[in-house]
Amino acid sequence: MNPKRIVILGGGFAGVKCARTLRAELRPAEAEIVLFNKENHLVFSPLLADAVGSSLNIMDVIVPLRQLLPGVTCRTEEVLRVDLAAHEVEYEGHDGTPRRLGYDHVVLACGNISNLNVVPGMADHAFPLKTVGDAAVLRTHVLQMMEKAEVCDDPEKRRWYLSFVVVGGGYSGVETAGEINDLVRFSTRFYRNITDDDITVTLIHSRDQLLPEISPALREFARKKMERAGVTMRLNARVMLATGEGVGLKDGFVPGGTIVCTIGTTISPVVEHTDTPKEKGRLLTEPDMRLRGRANAWAIGDCASILNAHDGQPSPPTGQFAERQGRQCSLNIVRTLRGEPTRPFSFKVLGQLCSIGGHSAVAEMFGLKLSGFWAWFAWRGVYLFKLPDWSRRIQVGLDWAWLLFFPRDLSHLKTDVTDRVTHAYYQPGDYIVRQGEAPANFYVIEKGEVEIVRTSPEKPEGEIIAVIGEGNFFGEHALVSNQPRNASVRARTVVEVVVMGRNVFTTISKSLAPLRKALTQAITRRTANFWTQRPEAMAALRDFQLAEFIEPPPHPLLKPTDTLEATTRVFADNGSDFFYVSADGQRLDGLVTLTDLIKAQGENTRAGVTVADFMVKSPSCLARTDSCLVAAAAFGEHGLKYLPVVEDTASRRIVGFIRARKLMTRVIRQATTPPV
Ligand SMILES: Cc1cc2nc3c(=O)[nH]c(=O)nc-3n(C[C@H](O)[C@H](O)[C@H](O)COP(=O)(O)OP(=O)(O)OC[C@H]3O[C@@H](n4cnc5c(N)ncnc54)[C@H](O)[C@@H]3O)c2cc1C
């Protein structure tokens, strides 16, 4: 008899338990067991927070699969899709080409993946905690923040370095907040300039209680204990956005030099592309864990939606359930191979354990409720026992014992990648770069507007010298000249930027001629213009009030729904070169120039073309309170003849416009007229 091939997709708790049990139950002559996993190790996720807090060595929370699973063919490869009709899995081979492997039975155990896109800005500014790489990067970042705080001479900035925000009050959020709090507070004695008062650790949770899985009395214990240890609780608080400065809530802003996001998961792409019924993205199974309507395909763990026959409830996405499903699924596969009836998944939860920092935990086990030191002791004992092999148990046990006598290890490997391109998100008022900083990045504005703010002996408090918006860039001058930043850049509206590291910037600007040309022009424009070269011109611009130059908006206002023909008539009947577009008659939504109109007439031969199709959307504009210096810089930057003026950037209520010619004539006249 040829051995049957059983392919398991995923080397997490569910897949590993399934593979182990199958190997124990079936002889090699009966079955070949193949396990695909993206990494070559199992991650023991309940201990990731310990690794972040330096309670454990980072390598102790992972176990190599091939050492853990003798007799199982372990393949460190990514599965691209499962072809249920052809009974084959398609995976990415070592050389990047897709290959296929047939199976007699397949088990999908690929878990889920973190999805920080649940909140605007979170993906750019927060740290996830799902993989061992995430834990290593977060630990390094926390320690780097402590080192920066130690040498920072600005007390406010130091407190910001030492502000840690954890989003999500489930197990991983609570454990991570507890561990970071312990690491930072217990280590202050090694830093001369950091005091306990400088540190804030904030745990933000959208419900009124932490840890919804455990009893109210234990939750309350956990909350009080953590608060006493210095963790600030923000319950019933929903995070609306994350920026480089912290997180925005409905009713305020929490500063955070470090943001950890433990909420938000999404299904893995291979699950998404599997052609089978799903519930909330998870693979729907029969009671025995077979995929609906399939005889030889099974799903277990976090990626599956499995009913628990013990209480008739859907199984929660926890390690405990994943392991138990792995075991029971493998036994059902064995029964199927032997022609015996399968059994429904059934599991009585053994207990709940959560460490809350400060050598304390909360636990509910076998009907007993424990809290404090003994619960913490039980927590460690249970997890030590749960580790899959003796070498790891001894290692972890020694790590924990070490900490009873010695302080946590504060050394860190620099995990910063040399260079990369990322996105960042800022709220109005956030600083993106600060004057005097060493140049590191180049920024391209994807959305919104920024203000260039410069302090000088005449204006030590700083003045806005320019405003730039979508499609524009900044940071080039400091990088090219290798000088400290000569101005700060502050978000004027909500801003999204693409951030390019120095090396990426240098490489692209060297090889891409149009970018090189645009940069040279920008540097010349921004450093050698008439205004900056002539102190008298600068002084004149500072003297003038923008209000002196504002003219009423051209009438009539266009609507986005106006047709091309109607717009043409407006231009023919009124002598303006441009008209504003506003849906509500107040807010500046767009602008149409004569050039835009002529272009639209040439391009749009189809009927039904409206202003919304060819207007300049959200054009650059000045706020009524802007200085003439900003107006002059904007004219220079955009090469425009006139600029709209609005009440403020939030409301964008139309006020009027100013002409470049009028402003410049006045400046030239004043700057070149000798005083009498
Ligand atoms: C920080 C943290 C703390 C936690 N604490 C607890 C706790 O205290 N108690 C508890 O019960 N649970 C806890 N959990 C939840 C628990 O870890 C999960 O429920 C459990 O890991 C789910 O197991 P799984 O096998 O379904 O998925 P996973 O453990 O996520 O494993 C899935 C595996 O599949 C691999 N994979 C995915 N797609 C592919 C592909 N296409 N090709 C190849 N390989 C692929 C992945 O790389 C991964 O190794 C915690 C989770 C986290 C993140």
Side-chain angles (χ1 to χ4, degrees), residues 9-15 36-39 41 43 45-46 48-49 77-80 109-112 129-130 171-172 175 268 270 300-303 317-320 322 353 379 383:
L9 201 172
F13 285 123
F36 281 92
N37 197 51
K38 281 194 257 185
E39 305 84 24
H41 53 255
V43 181
S45 3
L48 282 174
E77 280 164 320
E78 178 163 358
V79 174
L80 303 173
C110 44
N112 53 32
L129 187 59
K130 174 83 183 157
Y171 283 109
S172 48
E175 289 179 0
S268 116
V270 75
I300 51 176
D302 283 4
C303 70
T318 66
Q320 252 188 76
L353 290 155
W379 179 87
Y383 278 111

Side-chain angles (χ1 to χ4, degrees), residues 454 465 476-477 486 519-535 537-538 632-633 636-637:
R454 183 173 293 157
I465 55 164
E476 74 293 338
H477 183 236
N486 59 14
L519 290 170
T520 314
Q521 285 170 352
I523 292 172
T524 315
R525 202 169 56 230
R526 291 173 183 177
T527 56
N529 65 32
F530 175 78
W531 321 111
T532 47
Q533 298 303 305
R534 301 285 298 263
M538 291 285 279
E637 187 67 35

Side-chain angles (χ1 to χ4, degrees), residues 9 81-90 100-101 103-108 270-271 273-278 283-284 290-299:
L9 201 172
R81 67 189 198 98
V82 181
D83 187 340
L84 294 172
H87 308 295
E88 287 176 344
V89 292
E90 188 176 299
R100 286 185 159 239
L101 183 74
Y103 61 76
D104 294 292
H105 283 267
V106 67
V107 183
L108 283 99
V270 75
V271 168
H273 298 131
T274 303
D275 183 20
T276 180
K278 297 177 194 117
L283 301 160
L284 256 180
R290 252 187 259 245
L291 286 184
R292 289 269 163 103
R294 303 281 170 181
N296 65 342
W298 312 72

Side-chain angles (χ1 to χ4, degrees), residues 14 38 58 113-114 147 155 177 198 224 226 239 316 402 419-420 438 440 452 478 498 521 604 617 660:
K38 281 194 257 185
I58 209 98
I113 46 182
S114 359
E147 297 300 338
D198 292 329
K224 286 191 179 146
M226 289 183 81
V239 176
W402 181 268
D419 236 342
R420 53 186 188 159
I452 315 296
V498 174
Q521 285 170 352
N604 292 293
K617 293 191 180 76

Side-chain angles (χ1 to χ4, degrees), residues 6 8 10 12-26 33 35 69 107-109 287-290 298-302 306 318-336 338 342-348 350 386:
I6 304 171
I8 300 169
F13 285 123
V16 163
K17 193 71 181 179
C18 182
R20 265 190 149 181
T21 317
L22 280 171
R23 192 63 297 158
E25 295 289 324
L26 298 169
I33 299 157
L35 184 136
L69 297 171
V107 183
L108 283 99
D288 64 357
M289 290 168 281
R290 252 187 259 245
W298 312 72
I300 51 176
D302 283 4
I306 301 170
T318 66
Q320 252 188 76
F321 271 83
E323 269 207 329
R324 203 47 75 108
Q325 287 161 0
R327 180 174 162 74
Q328 295 190 15
C329 172
S330 62
L331 295 176
N332 274 343
I333 295 176
V334 173
R335 289 185 190 110
T336 307
R338 294 186 177 149
T342 57
R343 293 187 193 160
F345 171 70
S346 175
F347 176 50
K348 182 171 185 300
L350 302 174
K386 272 179 165 284

Side-chain angles (χ1 to χ4, degrees), residues 564 592-605 609 613-616:
L564 186 55
V592 178
T593 64
L594 196 53
T595 319
D596 298 329
L597 180 75
I598 294 167
K599 209 163 148 231
Q601 281 172 335
E603 284 171 0
N604 292 293
T605 46
V609 172
D613 298 322
F614 58 87
M615 69 181 186
V616 178

Side-chain angles (χ1 to χ4, degrees), residues 438-454:
N441 297 317
F442 171 69
Y443 301 82
V444 180
I445 305 171
E446 283 189 303
K447 203 172 142 196
E449 282 179 350
V450 300
E451 298 169 337
I452 315 296
V453 186
R454 183 173 293 157

